[in-house]
Amino acid sequence: MLQRIKRIDGSIVLILIVLMGISIFSIYSVTHGRERLDGMHMNMLKYYAVGFVAFALLTLFDYRLLVRYGLYIYILGIGILVLVSFIGKVKNGAQGWIGIGELSIQPAELFKLVLIIFLTTVLVRKNKIRLQFWRDVVPLGLIALLPCAMVIVQNDLGNALSYLVILLGLLWVGHIRFSHALIGLVIAGGAILGFILCYIHYHEQTVDFIEKTLGRDHFVRRFDPWLVPELASSTASYQTKNAQTAIGSGGLDGEGYLQGSSVQSNRVPYLYSESIFVQIGEEFGFLGAAALLMLFFILIHRLIVIALECRDRGGPLLIVGIVAMLLYQILENIGAMIGLMPLTGITLPFISYGGTSLLINMACMGIAMSVRLYGQDAEDDLPLPQPGHSLLPKS
């Protein structure tokens, strides 16, 4: 065990500690002295303490056991998503939280890790055999689309889209045929482009369909400031306009810690959670934002190196799923704040306030570190499939 512990990637641990410091100081900046928010930075410190415990435990836990029992983990995750549909609490228009005493857990965040594990379980059994469309790709798509649909019904578009990104990332490294990937990208790109054009040129009809037929007026408030800002209501565009103004006012080196004019006057909603990047952009400027992005880049680079060095089949797949999840959250969160992406309420990994989100991200880092510790062993003994066998694992 001591030899394994020596394999721990110190650079990842250091980056996590630095990100913890950034998160706590950023949350303090946007919450200190404000009623009902003051003290959130101390809560975040407690969440990080729990997160590092989870990180340590999963680092020492053999990740191959997670891959082996991925089907049961997936069934349990689906059960929790079903449960939240009946007893879930509503926050910010989304019914996605389960209360446990004074704590609130967001199962949609948890399911991102569940999905990564189960898709890895399924793909490991292919043993690098080319994926067939109807036998392999379609079942994998259904595995991701089921929870995606359930979370969309709960009005949580951000996490629902993350499931699709995870699916695409794992399909890409799971030996999907290039022709299938190209056709899928063309169809997906055409669908997205078609939706954007319809939303812009047939705005009234599209909005009427979303609000009255689908009953998702919450989505309209997300899409209007992104695609048709001139038609968006002042309420819908309030967050994005003020966020862009605040980030722009930061200039090169920012207005100074605790000195951000927009941040300290609370002009941007949800500064402690989904809008935390605004505080960094305004108070530390372009240099501060660039430093944060560099930390994310180094973290993802180290994860990819671990995947490349792993000799086991499941380890690289797990890490690709984790990287896809992190990249989506980073690009979506920051893109929404600067007007390049729609607002979906997704958090900025390791920085935004939130216990469930942080715990899942720290757990993912623990699993990645477990891949580094155990991935140098001989190939696991999961049963190898024969060409033509079903993709789904046997229980």
Side-chain angles (χ1 to χ4, degrees):
M1 178 57 71
L2 183 60
Q3 288 300 115
R4 293 189 189 278
I5 293 176
K6 289 181 179 179
R7 297 179 191 170
I8 290 177
D9 192 320
S11 59
I12 290 181
V13 177
L14 178 61
I15 290 172
L16 292 177
I17 293 173
V18 173
L19 290 175
M20 176 182 68
I22 294 173
S23 174
I24 292 171
F25 279 103
S26 295
I27 292 171
Y28 175 79
S29 175
V30 300
T31 60
H32 73 285
R34 297 177 187 174
E35 187 179 358
R36 294 183 299 175
L37 298 181
D38 199 10
M40 273 189 167
H41 63 292
M42 294 306 298
N43 290 337
M44 193 63 178
L45 180 59
K46 296 175 184 176
Y47 294 152
Y48 254 108
V50 175
F52 271 108
V53 170
F55 170 79
L57 291 176
L58 284 170
T59 293
L60 301 177
F61 183 82
D62 191 339
Y63 71 93
R64 291 172 294 184
L65 291 175
L66 294 174
V67 176
R68 187 179 304 279
Y69 297 106
L71 175 61
Y72 305 104
I73 295 173
Y74 178 82
I75 293 173
L76 178 62
I78 290 292
I80 296 175
L81 286 182
V82 172
L83 183 64
V84 79
S85 299
F86 291 98
I87 65 171
K89 296 180 179 179
V90 177
K91 291 184 180 182
N92 303 326
Q95 183 182 356
W97 280 261
I98 293 179
I100 301 178
E102 297 182 356
L103 299 177
S104 292
I105 298 175
Q106 191 176 10
E109 287 277 359
L110 173 63
F111 200 86
K112 289 185 287 191
L113 180 54
V114 170
L115 183 63
I116 291 171
I117 293 172
F118 185 48
L119 289 177
T120 297
T121 299
V122 175
L123 287 170
V124 159
R125 285 168 166 78
K126 286 297 296 179
N127 194 29
K128 302 180 181 180
I129 298 173
R130 285 286 182 186
L131 301 180
Q132 300 299 315
F133 182 76
W134 290 109
R135 190 188 65 206
D136 302 327
V137 177
V138 171
L140 284 166
L142 293 176
I143 287 170
L145 286 175
L146 174 60
C148 180
M150 296 172 67
V151 173
I152 286 179
V153 170
Q154 297 169 7
N155 259 358
D156 189 350
L157 181 62
N159 280 316
L161 292 176
S162 70
Y163 301 161
L164 300 182
V165 174
I166 291 169
L167 171 67
L168 292 176
L170 285 171
L171 281 177
W172 183 254
V173 298
H175 295 276
I176 189 173
R177 294 181 182 275
F178 179 77
S179 58
H180 292 164
L182 182 60
I183 293 172
L185 289 174
V186 170
I187 293 174
I192 295 172
L193 180 61
F195 171 77
I196 292 174
L197 292 176
C198 285
Y199 200 93
I200 295 173
H201 297 291
Y202 302 97
H203 180 257
E204 185 176 346
Q205 297 90 326
T206 306
V207 167
D208 187 69
F209 175 77
I210 294 174
E211 291 183 337
K212 295 182 179 179
T213 304
L214 300 181
R216 293 289 178 265
D217 55 326
H218 180 70
F219 292 168
V220 174
R221 295 195 296 271
R222 300 290 192 179
F223 290 135
D224 272 1
W226 175 46
L227 296 176
V228 285
E230 68 281 0
L231 299 178
S233 66
S234 58
T235 302
S237 61
Y238 179 82
Q239 183 174 2
T240 52
K241 284 184 177 180
N242 287 343
Q244 292 172 44
T245 300
I247 293 172
S249 67
L252 180 63
D253 54 359
E255 298 181 0
Y257 184 59
L258 302 180
Q259 303 299 317
S261 53
S262 295
V263 169
Q264 298 306 319
S265 59
N266 202 26
R267 295 176 191 168
V268 182
Y270 308 115
L271 278 165
Y272 57 90
S273 57
E274 64 186 76
S275 301
I276 194 71
F277 182 76
V278 175
Q279 182 272 335
I280 296 171
E282 183 175 55
E283 296 191 347
F284 295 97
F286 174 80
L287 294 178
L292 177 62
L293 289 176
M294 182 58 68
L295 286 173
F296 284 136
F297 173 81
I298 296 172
L299 177 63
I300 290 171
H301 172 262
R302 292 306 307 164
L303 292 176
I304 293 174
V305 169
I306 292 174
L308 293 174
E309 293 176 348
C310 181
R311 297 193 298 176
D312 174 63
R313 287 172 286 143
L317 292 168
L318 284 172
I319 290 181
V320 167
I322 292 170
V323 167
M325 178 190 75
L326 291 177
L327 283 176
Y328 163 75
Q329 289 188 220
I330 294 167
L331 295 176
E332 165 57 31
N333 180 275
I334 296 177
M337 293 301 106
I338 61 178
L340 296 180
M341 301 289 282
L343 277 170
T344 60
I346 206 77
T347 55
L348 186 61
F350 305 104
I351 306 298
S352 294
Y353 181 85
T356 307
S357 174
L358 177 64
L359 182 60
I360 295 306
N361 289 329
M362 293 296 285
C364 286
M365 295 301 100
I367 291 173
M369 198 67 75
S370 176
V371 172
R372 181 170 175 83
L373 267 60
Y374 293 93
Q376 300 301 317
D377 296 348
E379 286 272 352
D380 59 50
D381 58 352
L382 290 172
L384 303 182
Q386 299 299 322
H389 282 197
S390 172
L391 179 63
L392 294 176
K394 296 180 180 179
S395 59

